[in-house]
């Protein structure tokens, strides 16, 4: 979105090299963008709204991970609400004015940094809870206080990092009106910042922390520890699968501006960026639905709104409660438990 809008005017140059390829690309974009953005919008809106409802009305914030999980869907919810605007602009042109352009560019970047920083905090929190279990349990109250303060800092830092998009965002007319920051120097600074703070540092942190966590759990006994490993691998795998393709394409494009007149490059940018946006849909699944406590509260919500018969919902709750009890007895306090992920 931010990167693609900056380079969108380069599509004009594609027509010079291959008018037929440019025409096919425009047809693909007009079909692919609304479908992909609509899917992410609907799934992200429903999933993140459901997470917020359950955390607000059913699930008490008993751990530091819960505090972080409360902020993650909130940031994603704000982001997915901007997708209909970008879908319309991708099909037609930007008709929402300069101020709206600056706000939506800022929201995207704000969500980008907020989500990545929160995921890093969840990783570090799990690292402390597993590797330094006793100390983490004894300082649970202090960790909760620090966690809330860290969340506030994340929102402030993300807002500051979004200022370039808000300040330099503008609308320009090429063959149509587009929204972006059409300045090579600004684009380079933004790209370098996003690559460093939004991908490589979070990735390095997750690799180091989860490597130590895996090593710690492998030395522990019990089948449930190995089940926790599956959750860890899932978290890392989804992070890599959604973010790496778009990151690599942007890095390749930054090495030479010749790529921006290639039709294949614009196909790659469009598809990999849409894949990267899927994190707004997958986060509720990865960081909430895998938790037994969350599933129990979900079935309680379903029963309360009358979507399932009372007996059916009750049996689901009892099944979840029984599974939760078995899970609790097989773990050593909060220390080695990854169920909160």
């Amino acid at each position: 979105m931010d990167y693609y809008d900056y380079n969108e005017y380069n599509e004009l140059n594609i027509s010079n090299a291959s008018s037929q390829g440019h025409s096919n690309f425009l047809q693909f974009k007009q079909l692919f963008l609304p479908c992909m953005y609509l899917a992410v919008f609907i799934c992200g809106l429903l999933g993140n709204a459901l997470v917020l409802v359950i955390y607000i009305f059913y699930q008490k914030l008993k751990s530091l991970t819960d505090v972080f999980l409360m902020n993650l869907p909130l940031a994603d919810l704000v982001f997915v609400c901007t997708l209909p605007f970008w879908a319309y602009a991708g099909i037609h042109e930007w008709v929402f004015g300069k101020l709206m352009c600056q706000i939506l560019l800022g929201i995207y970047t704000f969500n980008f940094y907020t989500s990545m920083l929160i995921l890093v905090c969840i990783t570090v929190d799990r690292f402390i809870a597993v590797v330094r279990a006793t100390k983490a349990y004894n300082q649970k109250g202090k960790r909760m206080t620090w966690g809330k303060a860290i969340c506030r800092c994340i929102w402030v830092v993300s807002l500051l990092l979004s200022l370039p998009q808000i300040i330099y965002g503008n609308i320009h007319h090429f063959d149509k009106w587009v929204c972006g920051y059409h300045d090579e120097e600004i684009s380079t600074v933004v790209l370098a910042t996003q690559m460093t703070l939004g991908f490589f540092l979070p990735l390095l942190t997750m690799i180091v922390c989860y490597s130590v966590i895996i090593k710690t759990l492998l030395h522990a006994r019990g089948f449930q520890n190995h089940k926790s490993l599956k959750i860890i691998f899932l978290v890392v795998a989804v992070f890599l699968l959604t973010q790496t393709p778009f990151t690599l394409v942007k890095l390749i494009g930054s090495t030479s501006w010749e790529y921006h007149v290639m039709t294949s490059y614009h196909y790659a940018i469009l598809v990999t960026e849409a894949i990267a946006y899927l994190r707004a849909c997958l986060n509720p699944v990865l960081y909430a639905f895998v938790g037994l406590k969350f599933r129990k509260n979900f079935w309680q919500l379903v029963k309360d709104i009358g979507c399932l018969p009372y007996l059916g919902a009750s049996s689901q709750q009892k099944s979840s409660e029984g599974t939760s009890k078995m899970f609790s007895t097989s773990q050593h306090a909060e220390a080695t438990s990854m169920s909160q992920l």
Side-chain angles (χ1 to χ4, degrees), residues 113 161 164-165 168 181 183-197:
Y113 287 114
L161 292 173
Q165 280 83 346
Y168 295 100
Y181 40 96
D183 185 289
E184 184 175 344
E185 293 182 0
I186 297 299
S187 177
T188 302
V189 172
V190 170
L191 178 61
T193 306
Q194 288 186 353
M195 291 295 96
T196 303
L197 298 181

Side-chain angles (χ1 to χ4, degrees), residues 70-138:
M70 182 73 175
N71 285 265
L72 188 62
L74 182 60
D76 288 338
L77 192 62
V78 175
F79 164 68
V80 297
C81 290
T82 69
L83 291 179
F85 296 94
W86 295 113
Y88 181 88
I91 300 173
H92 303 287
E93 64 177 355
W94 189 263
V95 297
F96 307 107
K98 177 181 177 180
L99 180 61
M100 199 65 172
C101 170
Q102 293 173 315
I103 292 174
L104 294 186
L105 281 176
I107 289 176
Y108 166 75
T109 310
F110 177 78
N111 166 264
F112 179 83
Y113 287 114
T114 302
S115 298
M116 292 301 103
L117 292 175
I118 289 177
L119 297 185
V120 171
C121 289
I122 293 176
T123 300
V124 175
D125 174 57
R126 293 295 85 204
F127 172 83
I128 296 174
V130 173
V131 179
R132 299 181 176 273
T134 303
K135 185 177 181 180
Y137 183 80
N138 294 333

Side-chain angles (χ1 to χ4, degrees), residues 45 141 219 237 285 301 324:
L45 183 66
H219 285 83
V285 177
L301 172 64
S324 180

Side-chain angles (χ1 to χ4, degrees), residues 191-212:
L191 178 61
T193 306
Q194 288 186 353
M195 291 295 96
T196 303
L197 298 181
F199 183 78
F200 289 113
L201 285 181
L203 177 61
L204 179 62
T205 303
M206 293 176 72
I207 290 176
V208 172
C209 290
Y210 283 135
S211 296
V212 178

Side-chain angles (χ1 to χ4, degrees), residues 130 210-222 224-230 232-233 336:
V130 173
Y210 283 135
S211 296
V212 178
I213 289 174
I214 291 172
K215 182 179 179 180
T216 303
L217 292 179
L218 287 175
H219 285 83
R221 296 182 179 180
Q224 196 63 47
N225 291 328
H226 296 281
K227 185 177 181 180
S228 299
L229 294 180
K230 296 179 182 179
I232 297 173
F233 288 136
T336 59

Side-chain angles (χ1 to χ4, degrees), residues 310-338:
Y310 177 80
L311 291 177
S314 297
S315 62
Q316 291 285 355
Q317 292 180 60
K318 290 179 181 179
S319 176
S320 296
E321 290 173 357
T323 306
S324 180
K325 290 179 180 179
M326 293 175 63
F327 178 82
S328 299
T329 56
S330 65
Q331 295 291 328
H332 178 261
E334 185 192 26
T336 59
S337 175
M338 298 297 296

